[in-house]
Amino acid sequence: MFVIYVSLNYQQLPIDIREQLVFAKEDLDKANQLLNSEKSILENVILSTCNRTEIYAVVDQIHTGRYYVKRFLANWFHVTIDQMTEWSVIGTKEDAVAHVMRVATGLESLIVGEPQILGQLKNAFFTAQKDGTTGVILDHLFQETIAFSKRMHTEYRVSELAKTSGQTGLHQIKVQLQNLTGKQLVIAGMGDVGTHVLKNASTMGFDQITVLNRTDAKAAQLAADYDATVQADAWSDLPTAVADADAVILSTAAKEPVLSAQALQTTRPKLKVMIDLGVPRNVDAQTLPADVTYYDIDHLTEIIAQNQQTKDAMMDAIADNVPAAVNDFYVWQRQLHVVPVVRELRESALSVEKNVYDSLLRKLPELDAHQRKVISKHMKSIINQMIKGPIKEIKELSVRDDAALDLAFFCQIFGLATDDVLQEDSHHEK
């Protein structure tokens, strides 16, 4: 049994092709079950997002497994096998296991390190489980992958590194104020930047957020979309709002400072942090009291650059952890008694097929090369279809408490060398 993946992703395909290769959420159940009925496919999970469509599968043979996954995708999306071969990236065994883990941790994402892909991967796995298309191998692989990704995101908090000036400003406010409980934030200027700042700030735990805009109606309209924590004030009340604030974010397109030196000196008993996202700047930094920490766009850009260096180092560290996680998976798989049993069953079945094929050729020497190839292909297909069911069943039995008895009975039925198989498995465990 082998783990493989087939990927159609943003790294190889432009959006005009990629958008044609997406599974609708409501079609996933049907797709999983249809794929699972294909030859060689023992287990499967389908992941489909805006940036990638991928199939993870356990197959009894690599070359046939790859073919039938590609054929399934080609049929589903109404393209040719040749197109699917051109567009897809395929990995097997250790490469496939490593790929699943790299996807889950965001190493393969368009925005490297983003955490949303883990949730999407979990949903894909749970859907396949519900559809009955996973088994002991993919169940263990995805459970370990999810645990590994959570551990990496906990140890390396990549998602906490701000990527925009607004996010960075909010993070600096959190660092300076430490505890946001009971704290008040003012956001002045509700264009695109200010609106995004409000969206992020609304979940951070401020006691009150006051929004102001030169068009008062726009501020009121935005505030109405949030709970009572967010309120709107008139633009003319900006000095008063600042007087009550612990932190202020300015994001206006004004050509002159929107806060006067006099207002800052006389009305800010609580103010500790000021974030200036305006260009030109919304406040004259020279007029700020010494105890107010001030960040303009250049300060924030420098922090973002530092964050990127930190993020790169974190992602390198996560990547360095993947090989050990892959090795752990294969240590577990080698401890499954079923692996040598399946291999013995396949070798025994192929031996029977070869003996029958050789006998047929002796009795029909007039067959040409093409006829012999067709006969061989169909005989192998019969063998594969006959043993697929038993392989799936014994694979699931292998993790039960009485697995040794089930495996011994299985070997007895199919005439396998029980002692040799189990002795080899015992050797793997040492």
Side-chain angles (χ1 to χ4, degrees), residues 160-165 167-169 171-173 175-176 275 294-311:
E160 294 185 2
L161 295 173
K163 297 177 283 292
T164 67
S165 56
Q167 291 174 331
T168 305
H171 181 71
Q172 294 309 119
I173 289 173
V175 169
Q176 295 293 329
I275 308 297
Y294 172 78
Y295 297 89
D296 64 21
I297 198 69
D298 284 354
H299 298 139
L300 300 174
T301 300
E302 183 178 348
I303 293 171
I304 292 171
Q306 294 170 352
N307 284 348
Q308 186 60 51
Q309 292 179 353
T310 302
K311 176 182 177 180

Side-chain angles (χ1 to χ4, degrees), residues 45 131 149:
V45 171
D131 296 335
S149 181

Side-chain angles (χ1 to χ4, degrees), residues 1 338-347 391 394-395:
M1 295 178 295
V338 73
V339 174
V341 173
V342 170
R343 183 170 59 249
E344 182 77 9
L345 174 62
R346 174 162 296 285
E347 290 174 354
I391 287 175
I394 195 61
K395 176 169 60 66

Side-chain angles (χ1 to χ4, degrees), residues 160 167-180 203-204 206 247 273 275:
E160 294 185 2
Q167 291 174 331
T168 305
L170 285 170
H171 181 71
Q172 294 309 119
I173 289 173
K174 185 176 180 180
V175 169
Q176 295 293 329
L177 299 183
Q178 298 183 352
N179 185 359
L180 299 183
T203 62
M204 290 178 63
F206 287 101
V273 193
I275 308 297

